[in-house]
Amino acid sequence: MNTLQTLVQRHKAGGNNGIYAVCSAHPLVIEAAFSQALDDNSVLLIEATSNQVDQFGGYTGMTPVDFRHFVLAMAEQFKFPTDNLILGGDHLGPNRWQHLPAEAAMLNADELIAAYVAAGFKKIHLDCSMSCADDPIPLSDDIVAKRAARLGAIAEKTAIATFGYSDLVYVIGTEVPVPGGAAETLNTIEVTSPQAAMKTIETHRSAFEAENIADCWTRVIGLVVQPGVEFDHTGIIDYCSEKANTLSGVVDHFPHMVFEAHSTDYQTHAAYRQLVRDHFAILKVGPALTFAMREALFNLCEIEAEIIPKAHCSNLRERIEAQMCEAPQHWQKYYHGNESEQRFSRCFSFSDRMRYYWPDSVINQAQATLFRNLSGVDIPLPLISQYMPQQFQNLREGLISSDPKALVIDTIRQVLRAYSQACTEKSIVEV
């Protein structure tokens, strides 16, 4: 039984515990995650999504092996014990190739799964819910499950061929709307019905049997459903435990399974605690982390403008805006409205399409200039109080330094602390 199976068993035995998954490839986010897990002395789950990382490089330019090496190098740098590190793959399936006919897309998905497993990723989310070019819309549960089982069989075969055994754990199902936040304004969102959740489980179990991988069914630890949480560009739909009450009881029938909740970014501290109590014991966070990072960096730009001569400023905000306008493919179909509204969304949207642009070399150079400018001066405390009040308090209490990078890391950790506290509370029995 591996670490995640043990975590699930503790939860199923009445422990009010869970785990959060950090879904980001940005070095500052990963560093903040390592720092938080070190302070907590906890396991850290880092996940790559199928659009970030694939066999062709994804939008980060990294293959699964590259991503693993990147994370392990950072773990070594920060002296994080690798025994406490788990890598996961999110939405692994034909998502990146929906424009292709289904069989061509699935052949790419076959290679994608094999690449993730061979690279040492242990938590695999099988998601074949998206329609391809010649598919009906939406896909039937049977087609989705059959394709997921096909990928599961490849994952098992790859693990055994590479390592001599398989200790992979799987997550099935998907949320609605699409991953990464809704593209349109939302007022309400429908919670997955218990009947739909049960059907997803049963169709996948039957498909696993048909693919002759029934023996790994007990390693399916998570079911992705919609618990009634979401965010769009400017709004957040909060978790309501009463609306998810009947859904919450579905996993009681499956001793090896909890729920995995996606799009939990921007929820309240109380909501995270309630989600874990309601068996949404795997909480995914992504855009909220880079959103917090962007807030911190832009606040540092405001501080820079106050104390650094204009000719020497980093112009980070302007560099990002220019790059997003020059290469609009990552935001154009998501951000609508007039020019002013689009500009607002590019900068401030909760869906944070800006996260696709941080790997750009010009933007990285501007960020380095920002850090260098503010590392070479004593940042006046009133400016930290003005633009980063929580970091001002932590600085005054001796918890962090005034180094600009430390201020950014601590801002990201504000998000992670809420998840950590919700996932590590004492069991219900002990309270």
Side-chain angles (χ1 to χ4, degrees), residues 70-86:
F70 159 69
V71 173
L72 288 179
M74 291 195 69
E76 182 177 2
Q77 179 183 351
F78 298 108
K79 297 179 171 57
F80 188 86
T82 55
D83 286 348
N84 283 350
L85 177 64
I86 303 170

Side-chain angles (χ1 to χ4, degrees), residues 137-216:
I137 301 175
L139 293 178
S140 68
D141 287 332
D142 288 335
I143 293 175
V144 171
K146 183 177 179 180
R147 291 177 182 176
R150 165 179 166 168
L151 298 183
I154 291 171
E156 289 294 296
K157 181 179 178 180
T158 303
I160 292 168
T162 306
F163 305 106
Y165 62 94
S166 176
D167 60 351
L168 300 174
V169 294
Y170 297 97
V171 173
I172 59 173
T174 195
E175 81 280 25
V176 179
V178 295
E184 305 295 340
T185 301
L186 297 173
N187 295 313
T188 60
I189 194 162
E190 186 176 348
V191 175
T192 301
S193 70
Q195 295 78 13
M198 288 292 292
K199 187 173 182 182
T200 296
I201 294 171
E202 293 303 332
T203 54
H204 278 74
R205 180 159 57 184
S206 296
F208 273 46
E209 291 175 355
E211 279 284 350
N212 296 316
I213 55 171
D215 57 338
C216 72

